[in-house]
Amino acid sequence: MNTKFARFASLAVVSSGLATAGLPAAADAEHRAKALEIIKRDFQPRGQAGVDRLAEDGLQAICNRTGNNPPEYIAKRMEADQLATIKLPADGKLLGDWKEGEKIAQSGRGFTWTDNPGLPVGGNCYNCHQISPKELAFVTIGPSLYQYGKLRGNSSDIQKYTYNKIWNAKGFNMCSEMPRFGHVGALNEQQVRHLVALLLDPESPVNK
Amino acid sequence: MRIIIAFAAALAFGVSPQLTFAQAKPAKATSAQAQKKAAPAAQVVEEEPDEATKEFEKFRAQMEDSNPAELFEMKGEEIWKQKRGPKNVALAESCDLGQGVGVVKGAYVAMPRYFADADAVMDAERRIVWCMVDKQGFKFDDIAKKPFQGANDTSAPDITNLVTYVAAHSKDMKIAVPLDHPRVREIYEIGKEVVNYRAGPYDFSCNTCHGSDGKRIRMQNLPNISTGKGAIKGVQGWPGYRMTGGVMLTHQWRMNDCFRQQRFPAPKYASDVVTSLLTYMIGNSNGQTYRGPGIKR
């Protein structure tokens, strides 16, 4: 009981300390409260995008309150929680077809109010990453993935890491800008396998 | 006619019309050509504009003399001066955009601002809508039903024309959002929180793309709206004639489309959340010169 309380108290101290030391925006509790009120009030559902999307989940809430810079020990726990939700494919196969992966990587469709919810969602990969040199992606949001497999090899550990990272990037970096594609149901097992192949298959243009 | 020419020109320049999250696949033909230059260029300074931006800037300069936005300005002027609505009043004789009743000169660059008669901070489009409702007697719900143009609809709604007319009368004037007013400052600070707010299926906030320098999606530069230099890029050219589809669109529309790409639901029309974003972004552009209604890809 006492330890529990002490832990909670130290969490409160650390996070409030960080909030003031982090982005100026994160320190501004009063304006944040008003912003939340306005966000709750000023949106309406459209297409597949319901107002439920406006609510922060636990991870988003911590990232939002700490300027995407949570205390290390909280980040470690949250990352472990996120990783624990990943179920690897039952048959153990993590490598799909890189050609299919390339198509998924190129597509940015899905989840907007103009997208047909019945159609498969794309990986959006080229929006943020350079991947195959054949596809134009003059981008700087995420790191270049060109030569990804050539640099890392194709061991089962690397396959697993790559699969997990695409499935839920927040398992490795709590406030990463990368969406949790598998976790939120954007991409399924088969699609993630194809993306793993795009990055790791020696025949993929990524590794040529 | 001009509209068709402009759209054809856009295609001829190989400006990909769909460089968005939702439709991110650029045309194959341009992709192969540009790749040759892009590969080594990826190493150089981030400030260097990409090929598409350079081409587009050239095209924009050529278009300056016959800006298609002028057609919409003319239409807007007509509507501004016409007696309309259930109350049969002209906006020109009833609507105060912050510079006095009927005054359009310099009004656009000084909004969002606080309006005591409405007890609210309003951006230009919202203020015009407020005048149409309060002065002319139009019903807000009717206006909010279909505020923006549909795809390939070349006849802009009245409000788009009105906003374009008002904006044109701030051409080459300095942006001066009155941030020292406490109510404006408050909504600015709220806007700063809104751009920071991550939620939705992809955990995106405005800042995911627009919160730091040197970011690019596909080939398109992403302005950092927290800086003056970046914010002005999000302000310049709106309302804008969009060559993709040949439509005239307002700054409010652009904010809507940001939320769409963020995978958020739709903001209610002329609501505080949009005003807060506009106050933040336009406020951060204070002191810089607005070039008037423009042309967009």
Side-chain angles (χ1 to χ4, degrees):
Chain A
M1 169 75 183
N2 279 343
T3 11
K4 217 177 193 178
F5 179 74
R7 204 180 283 157
F8 175 76
S10 72
L11 188 145
V13 169
V14 172
S15 55
S16 68
L18 237 136
T20 30
L23 288 180
D28 198 341
E30 190 195 327
H31 290 122
R32 187 183 141 80
K34 282 187 179 157
L36 290 179
E37 203 179 293
I38 283 174
I39 287 168
K40 205 170 164 190
R41 190 191 65 206
D42 284 353
F43 283 88
Q44 58 200 0
R46 185 160 170 191
Q48 62 172 295
V51 289
D52 56 313
R53 291 186 180 186
L54 299 167
E56 304 161 291
D57 75 1
L59 180 138
Q60 290 166 340
I62 296 172
C63 293
N64 284 342
R65 276 168 186 74
T66 60
N68 294 311
N69 189 15
E72 175 101 11
Y73 78 97
I74 293 180
K76 289 284 163 241
R77 279 189 190 192
M78 294 297 290
E79 286 161 9
D81 285 354
Q82 296 283 311
L83 267 185
T85 63
I86 306 175
K87 268 203 337 217
L88 290 171
D91 63 5
K93 282 195 183 143
L94 301 180
L95 272 185
D97 176 352
W98 71 261
K99 287 180 188 140
E100 289 303 313
E102 174 66 23
K103 287 182 210 158
I104 296 162
Q106 287 186 10
S107 169
R109 292 195 181 279
F111 276 134
T112 74
W113 72 58
T114 47
D115 284 310
N116 179 342
L119 295 177
V121 168
N124 289 273
C125 311
Y126 281 102
N127 282 337
C128 300
H129 298 282
Q130 184 191 23
I131 312 174
S132 161
K134 289 177 186 158
E135 182 67 18
L136 180 69
F138 192 50
V139 295
T140 51
I141 299 175
S144 172
L145 302 175
Y146 180 53
Q147 306 272 282
Y148 181 95
K150 207 168 189 179
L151 294 167
R152 292 170 180 79
N154 192 7
S155 68
S156 63
D157 279 353
I158 291 292
Q159 288 183 22
K160 194 179 160 198
Y161 165 75
T162 306
Y163 185 97
N164 284 344
K165 177 87 179 182
I166 297 168
W167 191 270
N168 188 346
K170 268 73 173 182
F172 303 90
N173 174 2
M174 180 183 162
C175 297
S176 165
E177 286 173 350
M178 183 165 155
R180 297 170 273 179
F181 289 105
H183 185 76
V184 298
L187 300 178
N188 60 31
E189 275 185 6
Q190 194 55 27
Q191 286 174 301
V192 176
R193 275 194 190 111
H194 292 326
L195 289 173
V196 172
L198 176 67
L199 293 177
L200 292 179
D201 194 319
E203 293 308 310
S204 160
V206 169
N207 299 317
K208 289 291 179 189
Chain B
M1 185 57 190
R2 269 194 213 157
I3 290 166
I4 295 160
I5 292 167
F7 188 54
L11 295 174
F13 274 108
V15 178
S16 174
Q18 292 174 333
L19 293 167
T20 64
F21 269 114
Q23 295 149 323
K25 200 175 171 216
K28 277 289 171 194
T30 56
S31 138
Q33 292 157 2
Q35 180 58 35
K36 285 182 198 133
K37 290 167 192 162
Q43 310 300 324
V44 301
V45 230
E46 286 164 352
E47 288 299 312
E48 181 72 12
D50 57 74
E51 287 303 311
T53 306
K54 279 191 221 159
E55 284 304 321
F56 182 73
E57 286 303 326
K58 256 191 261 169
F59 173 65
R60 201 204 312 261
Q62 285 163 9
M63 289 293 287
E64 282 289 294
D65 293 334
S66 57
N67 187 339
E70 283 169 17
L71 299 171
F72 302 92
E73 285 169 39
M74 279 158 60
K75 184 77 186 147
E77 179 171 16
E78 207 180 300
I79 304 169
W80 179 259
K81 292 176 175 166
Q82 212 172 53
K83 288 189 191 297
R84 298 170 80 230
K87 296 185 185 171
N88 199 33
V89 181
L91 293 173
E93 59 186 356
S94 63
C95 185
D96 185 347
L97 298 174
Q99 313 299 317
V101 172
V103 179
V104 287
K105 183 85 186 159
Y108 192 80
V109 284
M111 287 186 277
R113 68 187 299 118
Y114 174 72
F115 292 95
D117 54 7
D119 190 29
V121 175
M122 295 176 157
D123 55 86
E125 180 161 356
R126 185 171 172 184
R127 181 61 181 178
I128 290 168
V129 170
W130 186 87
C131 283
M132 286 173 69
V133 172
D134 193 72
K135 307 298 175 194
Q136 297 182 310
F138 287 105
K139 289 215 159 47
F140 177 79
D141 290 346
D142 292 341
I143 297 171
K145 238 179 258 167
K146 224 187 163 195
F148 310 119
Q149 262 173 302
N152 303 315
D153 177 3
T154 48
S155 63
D158 290 346
I159 293 156
T160 303
N161 289 323
L162 285 164
V163 172
T164 309
Y165 167 65
V166 170
H169 282 78
S170 282
K171 187 171 161 37
D172 299 329
M173 294 178 75
K174 285 217 160 82
I175 295 170
V177 176
L179 290 179
D180 47 0
H181 189 286
R183 292 287 297 272
V184 181
R185 172 56 71 174
E186 183 187 35
I187 199 101
Y188 171 92
E189 294 294 340
I190 290 170
K192 195 195 272 181
E193 295 294 332
V194 171
V195 301
N196 229 0
Y197 186 77
R198 299 179 75 172
Y202 284 168
D203 310 321
F204 288 156
S205 71
C206 302
N207 280 342
T208 304
C209 291
H210 297 288
S212 54
D213 287 332
K215 287 197 172 178
R216 248 188 323 264
I217 179 167
R218 286 282 177 161
M219 292 166 64
Q220 195 146 14
N221 292 306
L222 296 165
N224 174 3
I225 58 169
S226 70
T227 66
K229 209 175 133 202
I232 188 71
K233 288 183 183 155
V235 174
Q236 213 63 274
W238 295 106
Y241 177 74
R242 208 167 210 218
M243 297 188 296
T244 314
V247 291
M248 191 75 201
L249 295 161
T250 64
H251 215 182
Q252 283 249 352
W253 174 86
R254 188 62 189 84
M255 297 302 101
N256 256 43
D257 207 51
C258 275
F259 283 121
R260 184 183 68 82
Q261 293 179 34
Q262 198 183 343
R263 273 72 178 177
F264 269 35
K268 291 180 185 165
Y269 184 57
S271 63
D272 280 336
V273 74
V274 179
T275 303
S276 76
L277 272 188
L278 290 173
T279 307
Y280 177 71
M281 195 162 62
I282 306 173
N284 282 342
S285 315
N286 268 357
Q288 300 181 77
T289 304
Y290 173 64
R291 295 206 305 252
I295 302 163
K296 291 284 176 183
R297 297 189 212 194

